Amino acid sequence: MIYTEHEIKYMLTGEEYAYLLKLFEGIAQKREMQTNYYYDTPRQELREQNITLRIREKNGKTKGTVKRHLGDGRSTEESFKTKGIPDSMVFEGDRVCLAGELKTDRTTVFLSDTVMLMLDRNEYLGATDFELELEYPEDFADKAEGALCLIKWLLGRSEERHARSKSERFFTKLKNF
């Protein structure tokens, strides 16, 4: 089954991340740890095609995902079954290898039945970064943009700090590692 995801990503400082965690303390939320294991060819050919191949481990279970980034915060996701974390696998006829992992401490805040705000602390390749993600259905795009404007106002920020995807940040860091 292919799922279309709509999201806005916004980079945070460590201080902003801590502030927002405290600000949203009383609102319905859940916290979980997850690890993304990323795969690509040695020349990062999937990345060049805006494809992320990952296995996500969460709550002791693994799930494979092929994510195709379409731009404008949209992507399609297709899941596949997996057992464990292999060192390599075949994807669309090419052998891909495990490139590394990114660990996320995620707090999900439920702003409504359909709009979720995720506050993520990510660790990968010796780096730590913080981001906010707003996930929403397609017909709520205006409300999600409004929510992001409110958050920027709460943070006292006016500049745009839209984030690249976690996989893009990971592979950029890997390339320069």
Side-chain angles (χ1 to χ4, degrees), residues 70-82:
L70 306 173
D72 295 335
R74 294 177 308 120
S75 60
T76 61
E77 287 189 15
E78 188 171 1
S79 298
F80 61 92
K81 291 182 181 182
T82 181

Side-chain angles (χ1 to χ4, degrees), residues 112 114-115 136-145:
S112 73
T114 55
V115 179
Y136 56 91
E138 183 175 13
D139 55 342
F140 276 69
D142 290 341
K143 291 179 182 169
E145 283 289 344

Side-chain angles (χ1 to χ4, degrees), residues 144-157:
E145 283 289 344
L148 181 60
C149 286
L150 174 62
I151 289 165
K152 288 179 357 186
W153 179 79
L154 289 169
L155 296 173
R157 301 284 180 188

Side-chain angles (χ1 to χ4, degrees), residues 8-68:
I8 297 171
K9 293 176 175 279
Y10 191 74
M11 295 305 296
L12 300 170
T13 66
E15 293 79 21
E16 290 168 336
Y17 169 80
Y19 170 73
L20 290 174
L21 279 176
K22 187 154 184 62
L23 182 68
F24 291 115
E25 251 176 3
I27 297 175
Q29 57 183 257
K30 77 175 174 181
R31 186 172 177 196
E32 51 193 353
M33 301 293 290
Q34 65 187 35
T35 303
N36 289 338
Y37 296 90
Y38 294 115
Y39 293 81
D40 207 335
T41 65
R43 291 189 211 125
Q44 296 186 9
E45 292 162 300
L46 295 179
R47 175 183 174 226
E48 289 176 11
Q49 297 172 51
N50 294 317
I51 298 172
T52 299
L53 180 62
R54 72 176 182 220
I55 295 177
R56 177 173 285 168
E57 185 175 36
K58 184 166 54 171
N59 302 322
K61 296 180 181 175
T62 58
K63 178 175 133 181
T65 306
V66 178
K67 194 169 186 175
R68 298 176 192 277

Side-chain angles (χ1 to χ4, degrees), residues 117-128:
L117 177 139
M118 280 78 78
L119 296 169
D120 292 345
R121 181 182 194 275
N122 305 300
E123 295 181 358
Y124 55 99
L125 303 171
T128 301

Side-chain angles (χ1 to χ4, degrees), residues 70-121:
L70 306 173
D72 295 335
R74 294 177 308 120
S75 60
T76 61
E77 287 189 15
E78 188 171 1
S79 298
F80 61 92
K81 291 182 181 182
T82 181
K83 289 186 179 182
I85 311 297
D87 290 331
S88 65
M89 65 177 104
V90 176
F91 174 73
E92 296 183 350
D94 292 322
R95 177 149 304 278
V96 294
C97 299
L98 177 61
E101 64 186 58
L102 181 145
K103 294 178 185 262
T104 300
D105 180 354
R106 170 170 280 182
T107 300
T108 303
V109 179
F110 300 95
L111 299 177
S112 73
D113 291 341
T114 55
V115 179
M116 295 180 296
L117 177 139
M118 280 78 78
L119 296 169
D120 292 345
R121 181 182 194 275

